Amino acid sequence: MSRFLKKSLWVFHLNTGSCNACDIEILDVLTPFHDAERFGVKLVTSPRHADVILLTGPITLEALPKVVNAIEAAPRPRVVIALGSCGVGGGIWHDTYSTIGGIKGLQKILEEKGVKVDAFYYVPGCPIRPEAILYAVAMFKGLVSKKVKSEIKHAE
Amino acid sequence: MSEKLKPAKLLVIATKSGRVTKKYPYEEPLVSPDFRGLIEIDENKCIGCGACVNACPPNALQMISDKETTVLRYFIGRCIFCWRCVDVCPVGAITGTRKFELATDDASDLYVHVVHKKPKCETCEGQGGTQKMLYYVVEKSPVTEEYLNECPDCRKKSFIESVAKRRTGGVSE
């Protein structure tokens, strides 16, 4: 179990310029069919109440100062979860002029501004299936183990 | 119906429909056969031609050239699971799977590398392409060994020289 996420997760959903597909899947997770609330997940309306910032979208330049403010407003220990291909790696907007290309650019900017984040989590998918979000939540709770690992294959 | 009886009506509906919530992490997910998930690269089949790199819309597949190796890098975090690479691969090295449980706490988990060896040019000691791509080309269309052991630049040079020789009747300048 992650040492930051021992109790119920209060989640602030932060859209940073995504296409709304991931946002709809987040709402889907909270419906009775998938019901993320059985793991204690609850959406809150202010980052000041949140343990987790749920970040979707490739982080546009317009949204960047607000994103930094929202993350700064969350009390520590704070955790940022990047959802979807855009959040994790920038998606198909990874090298466009108006975005910073996912969470990697944000990590640098947060370091420059002195905003500390205790843990980053990554959930790729385009859009993420509701089951994938549930799997991520269960992984943070320590109920299931992570399945992906980096591989180096040598072609013979 | 009066206001007081509404909860009773709800109870009737709830008992009729029963439990709808899925037990997901403890049971199999509902994945349709059409679902497109993670791709897998077979390193024994891959020839490192770069067709998938050209086709990939978000540049999740990238070729990184080194002095002795060419690396095909697959970044899962940027992949949009369109499976264009599966369609375009000439040797069928890339297959699609239905995996989607990709959550991780370490960004380096999201990289898959396929390392290819580069062939050495006999004349200039430079490199070009990958070793396996050369074998693939030879199988498809036979070429002479002189051309095979050269890098693309030397190949162009030797071709131009041979044409010039033919024109000048074998007398080089």
Side-chain angles (χ1 to χ4, degrees):
Chain A
M1 185 189 275
S2 169
R3 65 200 164 96
F4 303 112
L5 306 169
K6 273 176 187 165
K7 293 177 182 173
S8 295
L9 310 177
W10 282 23
V11 171
F12 179 67
H13 173 203
L14 190 61
N15 182 335
T16 65
S18 81
C19 68
N20 291 126
C22 293
D23 308 328
I24 288 166
E25 301 294 348
I26 289 167
L27 294 182
D28 196 17
V29 163
L30 296 165
T31 56
F33 192 74
H34 294 293
D35 202 13
E37 283 187 18
R38 67 204 150 114
F39 298 111
V41 171
K42 188 189 170 196
L43 276 190
V44 292
T45 49
S46 166
R48 289 179 209 286
H49 303 155
D51 305 308
V52 176
I53 305 278
L54 203 61
L55 192 142
T56 61
I59 311 169
T60 56
L61 293 180
E62 191 69 29
L64 178 60
K66 289 108 180 171
V67 171
V68 173
N69 281 351
I71 291 174
E72 208 169 9
R76 288 189 70 184
R78 55 171 93 98
V79 176
V80 172
I81 300 177
L83 275 190
S85 293
C86 297
V88 178
I92 51 175
W93 289 280
H94 70 100
D95 56 355
T96 50
Y97 64 94
S98 58
T99 72
I100 61 167
I103 197 114
K104 216 171 188 182
L106 182 69
Q107 279 170 341
K108 273 181 201 164
I109 290 163
L110 288 180
E111 237 174 58
E112 279 171 17
K113 301 209 170 181
V115 181
K116 278 184 184 170
V117 176
D118 294 278
F120 283 96
Y121 285 91
Y122 310 87
V123 190
C126 187
I128 6 143
R129 287 177 70 87
E131 280 105 332
I133 306 175
L134 275 183
Y135 192 87
V137 172
M139 199 196 85
F140 307 147
K141 289 275 165 194
L143 303 172
V144 289
S145 55
K146 77 178 171 190
K147 284 188 176 175
V148 282
K149 62 177 182 196
S150 72
E151 285 177 276
I152 297 176
K153 300 170 175 175
H154 289 271
E156 288 300 318
Chain B
M1 190 182 278
S2 68
E3 285 290 315
K4 280 181 185 174
L5 279 174
K6 267 186 181 172
K9 199 185 171 188
L10 268 180
L11 261 179
V12 172
I13 295 170
T15 43
K16 256 187 199 173
S17 59
R19 184 199 155 114
V20 291
T21 308
K22 294 282 157 199
K23 294 178 178 174
Y24 164 59
Y26 309 109
E27 66 176 16
E28 287 298 302
L30 287 169
V31 180
S32 67
D34 301 337
F35 175 70
R36 297 184 173 193
L38 191 67
I39 60 161
E40 260 174 17
I41 307 167
D42 188 348
E43 73 272 23
N44 295 322
K45 282 184 187 171
C46 179
I47 56 169
C49 63
C52 47
V53 177
N54 284 338
C56 188
N59 296 350
L61 287 157
Q62 278 177 324
M63 279 285 195
I64 301 156
S65 255
D66 202 344
K67 210 173 184 189
E68 286 177 357
T69 54
T70 302
V71 181
L72 175 64
R73 195 186 71 177
Y74 174 40
F75 179 31
I76 300 166
R78 201 183 286 153
C79 182
I80 59 168
F81 310 105
C82 59
W83 282 17
R84 281 200 195 183
C85 44
V86 179
D87 298 337
V88 96
C89 185
V91 288
I94 304 177
T95 47
T97 63
R98 322 231 172 276
K99 288 177 193 166
F100 63 90
E101 293 143 337
L102 308 170
T104 177
D105 53 352
D106 188 0
S108 63
D109 283 337
L110 300 172
Y111 288 94
V112 176
H113 298 263
V114 179
V115 183
H116 284 278
K117 273 181 199 164
K118 269 188 174 179
K120 267 204 171 172
C121 176
E122 282 199 338
T123 42
C124 73
E125 306 223 334
Q127 288 102 357
T130 64
Q131 196 99 53
K132 281 180 86 180
M133 193 160 70
L134 275 185
Y135 297 145
Y136 180 77
V137 169
V138 171
E139 268 178 29
K140 291 283 166 187
S141 63
V143 289
T144 54
E145 272 191 21
E146 278 176 34
Y147 279 118
L148 193 64
N149 294 332
E150 286 175 339
C151 68
D153 290 341
C154 290
R155 223 173 283 160
K156 274 179 212 162
K157 259 185 211 167
S158 63
F159 174 73
I160 290 165
E161 273 173 16
S162 69
V163 171
K165 266 181 191 173
R166 255 176 260 157
R167 282 209 153 176
T168 55
V171 182
S172 55
E173 288 167 22

